[in-house]
Coordinates of all heavy atoms in Angstrom, one line a residue:
K1 N 110.2 81.2 94.3 CA 109.3 80.3 93.6 C 108.4 79.5 94.5 O 107.3 79.1 94.1 CB 110.1 79.3 92.8 CG 110.8 79.8 91.6 CD 111.6 78.8 90.9 CE 112.5 79.4 89.8 NZ 113.3 78.4 89.1
A2 N 108.8 79.3 95.7 CA 108.0 78.5 96.7 C 107.0 79.3 97.5 O 106.3 78.7 98.3 CB 108.9 77.7 97.6
I3 N 107.1 80.6 97.4 CA 106.2 81.5 98.3 C 104.7 81.1 98.1 O 104.0 81.0 99.1 CB 106.5 83.0 98.1 CG1 107.8 83.3 98.6 CG2 105.4 83.8 98.7 CD1 108.3 84.8 98.3
I4 N 104.3 80.9 96.9 CA 102.9 80.6 96.6 C 102.8 79.1 96.8 O 103.4 78.3 96.0 CB 102.5 81.0 95.2 CG1 102.6 82.6 95.1 CG2 101.0 80.6 95.0 CD1 102.3 83.1 93.8
P5 N 102.1 78.6 97.8 CA 102.1 77.1 98.1 C 101.0 76.3 97.3 O 101.0 75.1 97.4 CB 101.8 77.1 99.6 CG 100.8 78.3 99.8 CD 101.4 79.3 98.8
Y6 N 100.2 77.0 96.5 CA 99.1 76.3 95.9 C 99.5 75.5 94.6 O 99.5 76.1 93.5 CB 98.0 77.3 95.5 CG 97.6 78.2 96.7 CD1 97.8 79.6 96.5 CD2 97.2 77.7 97.9 CE1 97.5 80.4 97.6 CE2 96.9 78.6 98.9 CZ 97.1 79.9 98.8 OH 96.8 80.8 99.8
T7 N 99.9 74.3 94.8 CA 100.4 73.5 93.6 C 99.3 72.8 92.9 O 99.4 72.4 91.8 CB 101.4 72.4 94.1 OG1 100.9 71.6 95.1 CG2 102.7 73.1 94.6
T8 N 98.1 72.7 93.6 CA 96.9 72.1 92.9 C 95.7 73.0 93.3 O 95.8 73.9 94.1 CB 96.6 70.7 93.5 OG1 96.3 70.8 94.9 CG2 97.7 69.7 93.3
S9 N 94.6 72.8 92.6 CA 93.4 73.5 93.0 C 93.0 73.1 94.4 O 93.0 71.9 94.7 CB 92.3 73.2 92.0 OG 92.6 73.7 90.7
Q10 N 92.7 74.1 95.2 CA 92.4 73.8 96.6 C 91.2 74.5 97.1 O 90.9 75.6 96.6 CB 93.6 74.1 97.5 CG 94.8 73.3 97.3 CD 96.0 73.8 98.2 OE1 95.8 74.5 99.1 NE2 97.2 73.4 97.8
E11 N 90.5 74.0 98.0 CA 89.4 74.7 98.7 C 90.0 75.1 100.1 O 90.4 74.3 100.8 CB 88.2 73.8 98.9 CG 87.5 73.4 97.6 CD 86.2 72.6 97.9 OE1 86.0 72.1 99.0 OE2 85.5 72.4 96.9
L12 N 89.9 76.4 100.3 CA 90.5 77.0 101.6 C 89.3 77.5 102.4 O 88.5 78.3 101.8 CB 91.5 78.0 101.3 CG 92.7 77.6 100.4 CD1 93.5 78.8 99.9 CD2 93.6 76.6 101.1
L13 N 89.2 77.2 103.6 CA 88.1 77.6 104.5 C 88.6 78.7 105.4 O 89.5 78.5 106.1 CB 87.5 76.4 105.3 CG 86.1 76.6 105.7 CD1 85.1 76.9 104.6 CD2 85.7 75.3 106.4
F14 N 87.9 79.8 105.3 CA 88.2 81.0 106.2 C 87.0 81.2 107.1 O 85.9 80.8 106.8 CB 88.4 82.3 105.4 CG 89.7 82.2 104.6 CD1 89.8 81.5 103.4 CD2 90.8 83.0 105.0 CE1 91.0 81.5 102.7 CE2 91.9 83.0 104.3 CZ 92.1 82.2 103.1
T15 N 87.2 81.9 108.2 CA 86.2 82.3 109.2 C 86.2 83.8 109.3 O 87.3 84.4 109.5 CB 86.4 81.6 110.5 OG1 86.4 80.2 110.4 CG2 85.2 82.0 111.5
D16 N 85.0 84.4 109.2 CA 85.0 85.8 109.4 C 84.8 86.3 110.8 O 84.7 85.4 111.7 CB 83.9 86.5 108.5 CG 82.5 86.2 108.9 OD1 82.2 85.7 110.0 OD2 81.6 86.6 108.1
N17 N 84.7 87.5 111.1 CA 84.6 88.1 112.4 C 83.3 87.7 113.1 O 83.3 87.8 114.4 CB 84.8 89.6 112.5 CG 83.9 90.2 111.4 OD1 84.1 90.1 110.2 ND2 82.9 91.0 111.9
N18 N 82.3 87.2 112.4 CA 81.1 86.8 113.0 C 81.0 85.2 113.2 O 80.0 84.7 113.5 CB 79.9 87.2 112.2 CG 79.8 88.7 112.2 OD1 79.9 89.4 113.2 ND2 79.5 89.3 111.0
G19 N 82.1 84.5 112.9 CA 82.1 83.1 113.0 C 81.6 82.4 111.7 O 81.4 81.1 111.8
V20 N 81.3 83.1 110.7 CA 80.7 82.5 109.5 C 81.9 82.0 108.6 O 82.9 82.7 108.4 CB 79.9 83.5 108.7 CG1 79.4 82.9 107.3 CG2 78.7 84.0 109.5
E21 N 81.8 80.8 108.1 CA 82.8 80.2 107.3 C 82.6 80.7 105.8 O 81.5 80.7 105.3 CB 82.9 78.7 107.4 CG 83.3 78.2 108.7 CD 83.5 76.8 108.9 OE1 82.8 76.0 108.1 OE2 84.4 76.3 109.6
V22 N 83.7 81.0 105.2 CA 83.7 81.5 103.8 C 84.8 80.7 103.0 O 85.9 80.5 103.4 CB 84.1 83.0 103.7 CG1 84.1 83.5 102.3 CG2 83.1 83.8 104.6
L23 N 84.3 80.1 101.9 CA 85.2 79.3 101.1 C 85.9 80.1 100.0 O 85.3 81.0 99.4 CB 84.3 78.2 100.4 CG 85.0 77.2 99.5 CD1 85.9 76.3 100.4 CD2 84.0 76.4 98.7
A24 N 87.2 79.7 99.8 CA 88.0 80.3 98.7 C 88.5 79.2 97.9 O 88.9 78.1 98.4 CB 89.1 81.2 99.3
L25 N 88.5 79.3 96.6 CA 89.1 78.4 95.7 C 90.4 78.9 95.1 O 90.4 80.0 94.6 CB 88.1 78.0 94.6 CG 86.7 77.5 95.0 CD1 85.8 77.3 93.9 CD2 86.9 76.2 95.8
S26 N 91.4 78.1 95.2 CA 92.7 78.5 94.6 C 92.9 77.8 93.3 O 92.5 76.7 93.1 CB 93.9 78.2 95.6 OG 94.1 76.8 95.6
T27 N 93.7 78.4 92.4 CA 94.2 77.8 91.2 C 95.6 77.3 91.4 O 96.3 77.9 92.3 CB 94.2 78.8 90.0 OG1 95.1 79.8 90.3 CG2 92.8 79.3 89.7
P28 N 96.0 76.3 90.7 CA 97.4 75.8 90.9 C 98.3 77.0 90.4 O 98.0 77.6 89.4 CB 97.5 74.6 90.0 CG 96.1 74.3 89.5 CD 95.3 75.4 89.8
K29 N 99.4 77.1 91.1 CA 100.3 78.2 90.7 C 100.9 77.8 89.3 O 101.1 76.6 89.0 CB 101.4 78.4 91.7 CG 102.5 77.4 91.9 CD 103.5 77.8 92.9 CE 104.4 76.6 93.2 NZ 105.4 77.0 94.3
I30 N 101.2 78.8 88.5 CA 101.8 78.6 87.2 C 103.0 79.5 87.1 O 103.1 80.5 87.7 CB 100.8 79.0 86.0 CG1 100.3 80.4 86.2 CG2 99.7 78.0 86.0 CD1 99.6 80.9 84.9
S31 N 104.0 79.0 86.4 CA 105.3 79.6 86.2 C 105.4 80.0 84.8 O 105.1 79.2 83.9 CB 106.4 78.7 86.6 OG 107.6 79.4 86.5
T32 N 105.7 81.3 84.5 CA 105.8 81.8 83.1 C 107.1 82.7 83.0 O 107.6 83.1 84.0 CB 104.6 82.6 82.7 OG1 104.4 83.7 83.6 CG2 103.3 81.8 82.7
V33 N 107.5 82.9 81.8 CA 108.5 83.8 81.5 C 108.0 84.8 80.5 O 107.5 84.5 79.4 CB 109.8 83.1 80.9 CG1 110.8 84.1 80.5 CG2 110.4 82.1 81.9
E34 N 107.9 86.1 81.0 CA 107.4 87.1 80.2 C 108.5 87.8 79.4 O 109.6 88.1 80.0 CB 106.7 88.2 81.1 CG 106.1 89.3 80.3 CD 105.5 90.4 81.2 OE1 105.4 90.2 82.5 OE2 105.1 91.5 80.7
A35 N 108.3 88.1 78.1 CA 109.3 88.8 77.3 C 108.8 90.2 77.2 O 107.7 90.5 76.6 CB 109.4 88.1 76.0
R36 N 109.6 91.2 77.7 CA 109.2 92.6 77.6 C 110.2 93.3 76.6 O 111.4 93.1 76.7 CB 109.4 93.3 78.9 CG 108.3 92.8 79.9 CD 108.4 93.6 81.2 NE 107.5 93.1 82.2 CZ 107.5 93.5 83.5 NH1 108.3 94.4 83.9 NH2 106.7 92.9 84.3
R37 N 109.6 94.1 75.8 CA 110.4 94.9 74.8 C 110.7 96.3 75.3 O 109.8 96.8 76.1 CB 109.7 95.0 73.5 CG 109.6 93.6 72.8 CD 108.9 93.8 71.4 NE 108.8 92.5 70.8 CZ 109.7 91.8 70.1 NH1 110.9 92.4 70.0 NH2 109.5 90.7 69.6

């Protein structure tokens, strides 16, 4: 349950191989129970 650390919406900053910063936006993790037939 704790593997995904994104409990709130977050801005994550990455750097590519050329030194350019790239922004990623995360959604808060959600927990669901799926019912399969």
